[in-house]
Amino acid sequence: MGAGEDHEVPTLVWTSLLLMLLLGLAGTLVVVLLSPWLVHRALNVPAALQRETLQSFYLLGLSIPMVISTAGLRGLLEAHQKFGLINTLRIPLGIYSFASPLLVLPFSTSLFPVVGVLVAGRIVGCAVHLLLCFRVVPELRERIAWHGAAAGPCCASVAG
């Protein structure tokens, strides 16, 4: 943007987001594969809580792509110096992160629903960040583009 090449921003943004999504999916795979070992051996979770803990780990693993993508989307908003917009979003999301588990407690003492509402909040937060990015950079709506050269030497042969 500083070089005045704003027309390249959408392609760079989509390439970055797709790479972040792939990184997040790799993180999900690692969490899914390591969770049984963590729950049954490394963390010494009591037998009565192992199933619930394992399900919660899997759910947390599924949220990794959302968390990573949200960071990238927030970075785009920061690059456009939309700090007021970012804070307007971060405040309710922060309150939700602390309040939502408390709101689940009257209905369940299980860890899984608590993790579920937190993951749901991450999904909503990611979607709202994306919508704000569409508002700030309307060109993002035109098409999803991959630019392998921008992704680095490993991806240059997959240039789009």
Side-chain angles (χ1 to χ4, degrees):
M1 288 176 8
E5 297 178 7
D6 291 354
H7 63 281
E8 291 190 28
V9 169
T11 302
L12 291 173
V13 168
W14 282 117
T15 300
S16 300
L17 286 173
L18 290 169
L19 285 170
M20 288 181 210
L21 180 64
L22 289 173
L23 179 64
L25 291 172
T28 297
L29 182 63
V30 168
V31 168
V32 167
L33 292 175
L34 286 179
S35 290
W37 175 78
L38 285 169
V39 170
H40 298 294
R41 291 193 172 68
L43 298 176
N44 296 319
V45 175
L49 299 175
Q50 286 181 354
R51 182 170 182 256
E52 175 183 351
T53 305
L54 190 59
Q55 290 174 338
S56 297
F57 268 87
Y58 290 154
L59 194 54
L60 283 172
L62 291 174
S63 74
I64 293 173
M66 257 33 88
V67 172
I68 292 174
S69 297
T70 300
L73 294 167
R74 187 172 53 248
L76 177 62
L77 294 171
E78 290 170 350
H80 283 86
Q81 299 183 11
K82 300 296 182 184
F83 301 110
L85 204 55
I86 294 165
N87 289 332
T88 300
L89 180 56
R90 288 185 77 174
I91 290 169
L93 289 176
I95 291 170
Y96 179 84
S97 292
F98 288 101
S100 61
L102 293 175
L103 297 174
V104 170
L105 287 178
F107 306 102
S108 175
T109 57
S110 173
L111 181 63
F112 187 74
V114 171
V115 172
V117 297
L118 290 171
V119 170
R122 292 292 186 164
I123 292 168
V124 169
C126 186
V128 173
H129 275 86
L130 183 61
L131 292 173
L132 290 176
C133 286
F134 285 159
R135 193 172 108 192
V136 171
V137 185
E139 298 83 12
L140 289 175
R141 294 183 198 160
E142 292 174 12
R143 70 183 180 101
I144 296 174
W146 171 264
H147 184 50
C154 69
C155 304
S157 62
V158 191

